Amino acid sequence: MNHFELRDGELYCEDVPLAAIAQAVGTPVYVYSTATFERHYTVLREALEAEGVHDPLIAFAVKANSNLAVLRTLAQLGAGADTVSEGEIRRALAAGVPPERIVFSGVGKTRSEIAFALDAGVCEINVESEPEMLAIAQVAQSLGKRATIAFRVNPDVAAGGHAKIATGKSENKFGVSFAEAERLYAQASNNAWLKPVGVACHIGSQITDLAPMAEAFEKMAGLVRRLKGEGLHVERLDLGGGLGVPYFNQPEPPTPADYAKVVAQATRGLDVTLAFEPGRVIAANAGVLLAQVVHVHERPEGRRFLVLDAAMNDLLRPAMYDAYHDIRAVNPREGEARPYDVVGPVCETGDTFTRDRALPAFESGDLVAFMSAGAYGASMASEYNSRPLVPEVMVKGGDYAIVRPRPTYEEMLARETPAPWL
Ligand SMILES: *Cc1c(COP(=O)(O)O)cnc(C)c1O
């Protein structure tokens, strides 16, 4: 459920007409709903608690939407943050996420990032390989600090979703095998600079089938039991993120309640604190990308192009993952739906949001909304083609605030400095 709906023939975000935001801020622009963020977080938390999962750490995956206003909205509800870079840790801290709720993940953490995380006091660094474990121990020693770590295990299950976002097969770059996890856990437990507290997995993204999740969670629970059986201290099991959302053309994803049942079933009696790293399921349907129609271009042979002022640099998912976004008119016109190719102005054929999509009549100047764009939208945006970075707006009830302004052209150019010989 989300808070973007038609009222009197006009698309609203909560109590604000999207057209009013487009008018005030210009397009393209991302618009987020506070109420939807809050609802998604709360529904997930309550579903887990209803299944007896007590006091879980729900660490929002910052890469899904790293805007400080979004992070602060979630932090105020008690969310933690799953981070994959020093920049993301800094964002989480700046948004008020306490360090004891920040998880630091990622396959290529540099020594300086590890040092930063240790100084900040994050609750867990998820170790993705043996060389990384050794690097963390060295950095910890040099700082005179003991590093709290968890091992990210690659449970070797195929979780569907697009190949570019599947992470849980052994051929993917993420995590260690079960055998390695056992060996490294024992080794780390004997290292004065390491404090292993648990194990973690994250098998992919936009997962719409619970079976692979159930399989991965069972395997992880088995690992926890084996480690405990060896007398090792295990207090936390991090089950990652990955739950899919409805993008309208896809199989209905499992509900948070179904997901929570699978979690509870797999972890019953384990006596560990559970952690989760949801990104998309919290953020996707809490945001839209608003764009304006520049031209409707009908080719004589029949193709009809809806040329927008938004492009692949603003919303990369269709170009990168063939992702589907529902496209809606902000002020729908009467008339029959007709097939359109919806494209941006960037000089790449990949700058096509969709082809042959049946959409209502549009005219130049009309506003369109890409639905479900709150996750992996603004956070993946760039200035490709020297298009200023897309702004972001947060709505709460009848109020809205620009939470990342669009840079001016002067600001964009001022970031670069000429080489002294030029
Ligand atoms: C990307 C990522 C997530 C979030 O995935 P979603 O599909 O957005 O829920 C969680 N954990 C890790 C380690 C990730 O890389």
Side-chain angles (χ1 to χ4, degrees):
M1 201 215 120
N2 62 61
H3 297 78
F4 296 89
E5 348 171 277
L6 277 181
R7 283 192 202 168
D8 303 325
E10 189 174 8
L11 198 56
Y12 274 67
C13 174
E14 301 191 25
D15 299 325
V16 180
L18 287 174
I21 295 175
Q23 173 87 42
V25 185
T27 51
V29 56
Y30 278 92
V31 180
Y32 305 132
S33 158
T34 299
T36 309
F37 272 108
E38 291 178 344
R39 183 185 148 82
H40 289 172
Y41 174 83
T42 306
V43 164
L44 180 61
R45 188 177 178 104
E46 288 177 355
L48 289 165
E49 280 171 355
E51 291 297 327
V53 176
H54 292 300
D55 211 13
L57 171 64
I58 300 182
F60 175 64
V62 172
K63 73 179 193 286
N65 189 320
S66 46
N67 188 285
L68 292 174
V70 168
L71 301 182
R72 192 174 288 272
T73 299
L74 293 170
Q76 284 180 353
L77 300 176
D82 176 54
T83 61
V84 294
S85 67
E86 178 173 336
E88 286 192 353
I89 300 173
R90 286 179 184 269
R91 280 184 179 275
L93 292 169
V97 181
E100 61 273 15
R101 290 204 201 113
I102 298 178
V103 174
F104 186 25
S105 309
V107 282
K109 306 169 195 81
T110 65
R111 280 163 199 262
S112 75
E113 287 181 309
I114 292 166
F116 182 83
L118 290 174
D119 273 332
V122 304
C123 81
E124 150 189 328
I125 301 182
N126 285 353
V127 176
E128 300 244 7
S129 64
E130 182 166 8
E132 184 172 81
M133 179 185 89
L134 299 174
I136 293 170
Q138 279 175 4
V139 175
Q141 180 168 18
S142 72
L143 296 175
K145 290 201 162 136
R146 200 157 165 230
T148 308
I149 58 169
F151 288 92
R152 171 152 179 202
V153 181
N154 187 322
D156 198 21
V157 297
H162 191 280
K164 283 186 187 161
I165 51 179
T167 55
K169 284 293 286 174
S170 55
E171 71 244 34
N172 299 128
K173 66 183 177 179
F174 302 97
V176 299
S177 69
F178 284 102
E180 274 181 294
E182 283 184 63
R183 178 173 66 80
L184 296 177
Y185 208 106
Q187 206 179 315
S189 300
N190 289 323
N191 186 313
W193 303 106
L194 298 176
K195 180 181 176 210
V197 293
V199 286
C201 71
H202 169 71
I203 60 173
S205 207
Q206 187 51 20
I207 298 171
T208 51
D209 176 7
L210 282 176
M213 287 213 172
E215 185 188 341
F217 298 171
E218 296 285 353
K219 286 180 165 184
M220 294 301 292
L223 173 63
V224 170
R225 289 195 192 92
R226 288 199 298 283
L227 292 170
K228 286 193 173 194
E230 289 159 31
L232 296 164
H233 171 76
V234 185
E235 60 187 83
R236 198 174 298 144
L237 172 57
D238 177 343
L239 296 175
L243 194 57
V245 299
Y247 283 110
F248 298 90
N249 70 329
Q250 301 216 325
E252 269 295 300
T255 64
D258 299 334
Y259 172 79
K261 283 202 178 68
V262 165
V263 167
Q265 172 93 34
T267 59
R268 195 147 287 143
L270 271 190
D271 192 25
V272 288
T273 304
L274 296 183
F276 301 89
E277 303 169 350
R280 189 186 313 269
V281 74
I282 288 180
N285 286 319
V288 302
L289 173 64
L290 272 186
Q292 190 168 39
V293 177
V294 180
H295 303 293
V296 181
H297 171 194
E298 302 206 19
R299 285 258 178 78
E301 71 274 21
R303 278 205 110 64
R304 190 177 298 106
F305 293 95
L306 197 63
V307 185
L308 302 180
D309 65 357
M312 63 189 285
N313 69 298
D314 306 306
L315 177 62
L316 187 58
R317 299 186 65 256
M320 182 135 157
Y321 310 124
D322 305 312
Y324 182 102
H325 286 271
D326 192 24
I327 298 173
R328 295 173 63 179
V330 171
N331 301 90
R333 294 175 183 277
E334 300 284 316
E336 296 240 321
R338 298 187 303 172
Y340 287 91
D341 286 7
V342 181
V343 303
V346 160
C347 304
E348 302 246 4
T349 307
D351 189 23
T352 298
F353 293 111
T354 186
R355 287 168 66 81
D356 280 326
R357 177 88 59 93
L359 293 172
F362 278 108
E363 289 178 17
S364 155
D366 285 357
L367 295 170
V368 305
F370 286 87
M371 309 306 289
S372 315
Y376 306 103
S379 63
M380 290 177 86
S382 74
E383 291 189 335
Y384 186 42
N385 274 219
S386 289
R387 296 163 46 81
L389 196 60
V390 59
E392 297 169 276
V393 165
M394 183 68 122
V395 172
K396 183 176 170 66
D399 292 335
Y400 72 87
I402 300 172
V403 293
R404 181 172 79 187
R406 190 190 316 277
T408 63
Y409 286 105
E410 289 72 22
E411 284 163 347
M412 193 170 85
L413 297 185
R415 289 203 304 263
E416 289 162 43
T417 43
W421 58 86
L422 290 174

